[in-house]
């Protein structure tokens, strides 16, 4: 176990908070269903980059906060994030070596999986989802290169280890 | 656990307290956009707006004068009839925090929480009608479910003849569904639906929606009835929180303490 590194944790927490803030930022009604899953993208990035530091537990905590912030059932998105975090932890060595566009496709699959779990929970509580529920998987794929480059810049600039 | 039994409400309210600074930050970051639109409003338009508002204010004040006497008379008559129906209410203004929630569940965050005596189930209004009810309360903020949410049902009655119905949310921003209305029921396009007070959540007599479509389906037992909410659900920032049974501290602040009658305390 690597000793805690307060400076790294600060940067990582701030990046998650920023992602959550972007998620909450009001956009026109027509664009709202297209909103990418920013926090999931940030989570996937940090797991690929620092698998020894960010993992399933982080995913769960971030998911809980996102649930509380966006008013979904407490645990709905946390469950999805936990499962996605686990799979990314299994595959991070492979994903790391892919070019960015190929990572984007993998990311789309992860976000779709995250949404499948959410849809399952919503189905259990009797709220079936429509077509627009799945669109964020596509938009997340499109913004992944941006998220990746920005977070990599931040990681190198501030020596987050 | 969260869905049925609310065991984790304290967890949720703690988390909402932690998240409050973030929400306020997001809200503040949107204010430049609003001020830009203010900046481009012309002076003439503003003068005109002030003028219209002043006239409206005058009209409303006149109506209010009558309303005060009517309310007093109404209370006296009800006391004579030993009716426990409560007409007095306490209202306070809250502001919607500009954050987007899950786009499929139609909720809003307001900037008043348990520190301001907000409670779960509390009704929420705007100047034109019912908006929704509070579902989660944090110390500084709370989450409200709008009447257009698919999981929300409002007990209503037709203002014209007292026909009772239930207005279900559809998830669409300005449409409510009224299921289970028989084909031969007396309901027309343009009818105003007000809260019926059944269910005990919403005080009776507040406008909810106007009927926008009535279609008799001879092959089905019930007619297809749709309504448009009168409240401006999407484009408003100030909302009114209503306390139907004012707390002690509020009734002390009341100008006429003698009107707190025993039967008011027995009201459900």
């Amino acid at each position: 176990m690597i000793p805690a590194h307060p400076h790294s944790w600060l940067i990582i927490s701030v990046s998650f908070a920023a992602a959550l803030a972007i998620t909450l930022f009001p956009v026109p009604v027509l664009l709202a269903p297209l909103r990418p899953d920013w926090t999931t993208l940030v989570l996937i990035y940090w797991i690929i980059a620092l698998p020894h530091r960010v993992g399933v537990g982080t995913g769960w905590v971030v998911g809980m906060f996102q649930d509380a912030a966006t008013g979904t059932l407490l645990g709905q998105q946390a469950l999805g994030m936990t499962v996605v975090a686990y799979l990314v932890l299994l595959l991070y060595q492979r994903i790391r070596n892919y070019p960015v566009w190929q990572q984007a496709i993998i990311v789309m699959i992860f976000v779709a999986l995250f949404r499948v779990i959410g849809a399952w929970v919503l189905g259990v509580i009797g709220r079936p989802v429509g077509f627009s529920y799945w669109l964020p998987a596509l938009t997340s794929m499109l913004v992944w290169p941006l998220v990746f480059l920005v977070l990599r810049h931040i990681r190198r600039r501030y020596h987050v280890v | 656990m969260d869905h049925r039994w609310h065991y984790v409400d304290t967890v949720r309210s703690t988390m909402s307290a932690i998240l409050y600074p973030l929400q306020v930050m997001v809200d503040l970051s949107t204010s430049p956009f609003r001020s830009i639109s203010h900046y481009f409003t012309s002076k003439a338009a503003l003068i005109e707006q002030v003028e219209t508002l002043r006239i409206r204010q005058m009209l409303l004040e006149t109506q209010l004068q009558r309303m005060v006497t009517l309310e007093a008379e109404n209370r006296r008559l009800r006391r004579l009839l030993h009716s426990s129906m409560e007409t007095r209410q306490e209202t306070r203004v809250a502001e919607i925090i500009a954050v987007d929630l899950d786009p499929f569940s139609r909720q809003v965050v307001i900037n008043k929480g348990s520190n301001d005596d907000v409670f779960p189930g509390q009704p929420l209004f705007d100047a034109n009608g019912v908006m929704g009810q509070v579902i989660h309360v944090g110390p500084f903020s709370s989450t409200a479910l709008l009447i257009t949410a698919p999981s929300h049902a409002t007990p209503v009655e037709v203002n014209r003849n007292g026909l009772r119905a239930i207005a279900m949310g559809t998830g669409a921003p300005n449409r409510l569904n009224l299921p289970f209305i028989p084909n031969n029921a007396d309901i027309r396009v343009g009818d105003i639906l007000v809260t019926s007070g059944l269910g005990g959540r919403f005080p009776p007599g507040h406008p909810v929606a106007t009927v926008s479509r009535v279609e008799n389906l001879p092959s089905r037992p019930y007619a297809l009835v749709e309504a448009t909410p009168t409240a401006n659900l999407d484009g408003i920032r100030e909302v009114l929180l209503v306390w139907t049974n004012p707390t002690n501290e509020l009734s002390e602040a009341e100008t006429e303490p003698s009107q707190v009658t025993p039967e008011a305390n027995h009201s459900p």
Side-chain angles (χ1 to χ4, degrees):
Chain A
M1 193 69 196
I2 295 158
H5 204 298
H7 154 80
S8 300
W9 274 120
L10 182 71
I11 301 278
I12 293 173
S13 317
V14 167
S15 70
F16 277 121
L20 202 53
I22 301 176
T23 309
L24 293 176
F25 196 82
V27 293
V29 178
L30 282 179
L31 293 180
L34 295 174
R35 187 195 301 277
D37 282 329
W38 297 103
T39 41
T40 318
L41 295 181
V42 173
L43 177 73
I44 293 174
Y45 176 80
W46 284 123
I47 295 179
I48 295 172
L50 311 168
H52 54 277
R53 212 168 267 298
V54 178
V56 175
T58 323
W60 185 76
V61 172
V62 171
M64 286 300 261
F65 272 106
Q66 178 141 318
D67 278 323
T70 58
T72 47
L73 193 64
L74 211 54
Q76 174 192 325
Q77 298 182 73
L79 180 64
M81 293 249 188
T82 314
V83 173
V84 166
Y86 176 69
L87 291 177
V88 179
L89 268 181
L90 282 185
L91 297 170
Y92 74 92
Q93 281 167 325
R94 245 187 255 181
I95 302 171
R96 238 184 220 177
N97 293 319
Y98 289 153
V100 174
W101 65 269
Q102 214 168 333
Q103 287 180 350
I105 296 173
I106 301 277
V107 161
M108 182 187 73
I109 296 171
F110 281 132
V111 174
L113 176 74
F114 168 71
R115 296 244 139 203
V116 166
I117 294 166
W120 174 68
V121 173
L122 286 173
V124 167
I125 61 173
R127 261 185 245 166
V129 295
F131 169 72
S132 59
Y133 178 81
W134 305 103
L135 290 176
L138 283 177
T139 51
S140 299
M141 177 179 81
L142 296 178
V143 299
W144 168 256
L146 179 74
V147 173
F148 179 77
L149 293 176
V150 168
L151 285 177
R152 189 173 66 177
H153 176 78
I154 291 174
R155 181 172 62 86
R156 291 186 176 165
R157 173 86 176 64
Y158 296 100
H159 302 289
V160 182
V161 285
Chain B
M1 284 212 302
D2 187 29
H3 180 45
R4 293 266 159 84
W5 293 297
H6 304 284
Y7 286 152
V8 285
D9 273 358
T10 44
V11 180
R12 194 185 266 276
S13 79
T14 318
M15 288 173 99
S16 82
I18 299 172
L19 286 166
Y20 186 63
L22 195 72
Q23 291 171 334
V24 170
M25 211 180 68
V26 172
D27 187 47
L28 286 180
S29 66
T30 61
S31 63
F33 298 106
R34 285 200 301 274
S35 52
I36 285 171
S37 76
H38 281 298
Y39 186 77
F40 284 110
T41 323
S42 75
K43 198 176 158 192
L46 282 177
I47 292 175
E48 195 187 314
Q49 200 182 359
V50 168
E51 211 43 52
T52 345
L53 285 177
R54 189 174 295 155
I55 292 172
R56 227 180 115 206
Q57 160 95 356
M58 233 165 68
L59 288 175
L60 288 176
E61 294 257 324
T62 347
Q63 279 175 22
L64 192 66
Q65 289 168 9
R66 256 181 45 219
M67 169 84 183
V68 171
T69 30
L70 282 178
E71 198 176 305
E73 185 182 329
N74 188 311
R75 200 176 301 127
R76 215 166 43 238
L77 289 173
R78 281 196 187 285
R79 208 176 302 158
L80 283 176
L81 291 168
H82 296 293
S83 160
S84 63
M85 193 163 128
E86 177 74 68
T87 51
R88 274 170 354 104
Q89 292 170 355
E90 215 37 72
T91 53
R92 254 188 252 168
V93 178
E95 213 171 283
I96 291 184
I97 299 179
V99 293
D100 265 13
L101 303 182
D102 180 22
F104 307 99
S105 59
R106 318 252 351 126
Q107 300 174 1
V108 292
V109 177
I110 56 173
N111 70 346
K112 293 259 187 304
S114 51
N115 286 359
D116 299 284
D117 296 329
V118 176
F119 58 90
Q122 182 167 28
L124 202 69
F125 297 88
D126 80 348
N128 302 317
V130 179
M131 288 191 75
Q133 58 174 298
V134 175
I135 48 172
H136 301 299
V137 179
F140 314 109
S141 64
S142 32
T143 314
L145 192 66
L146 297 180
I147 52 172
T148 47
S151 51
H152 194 273
T154 323
V156 295
E157 62 185 22
V158 176
N159 198 20
R160 188 162 50 84
N161 54 12
L163 175 75
R164 282 192 304 276
I166 302 230
M168 308 275 292
T170 55
N174 48 13
R175 190 157 49 89
L176 298 173
N177 247 342
L178 277 75
F180 314 124
I181 290 196
N183 270 323
N184 58 359
D186 180 17
I187 187 165
R188 294 180 219 146
V189 173
D191 275 350
I192 293 175
L193 301 172
V194 299
T195 47
S196 65
L198 297 178
R201 280 280 162 89
F202 295 101
H206 285 274
V208 178
T210 31
V211 176
S212 56
R213 183 172 167 210
V214 179
E215 210 170 290
N216 288 324
L217 306 168
S219 58
R220 306 256 185 90
Y222 300 113
L224 178 76
V225 183
E226 283 174 2
T228 316
T230 49
N232 185 1
L233 293 180
D234 277 329
I236 205 152
R237 269 180 81 74
E238 278 83 25
V239 297
L240 299 172
L241 283 167
V242 173
W243 283 263
T244 323
N245 291 329
T247 55
N248 289 333
E249 147 208 338
L250 288 174
S251 41
E252 274 164 23
E254 196 79 5
T255 46
E256 295 161 309
S258 63
Q259 283 169 355
V260 184
T261 50
E263 70 254 41
N265 296 333
H266 291 306
S267 68

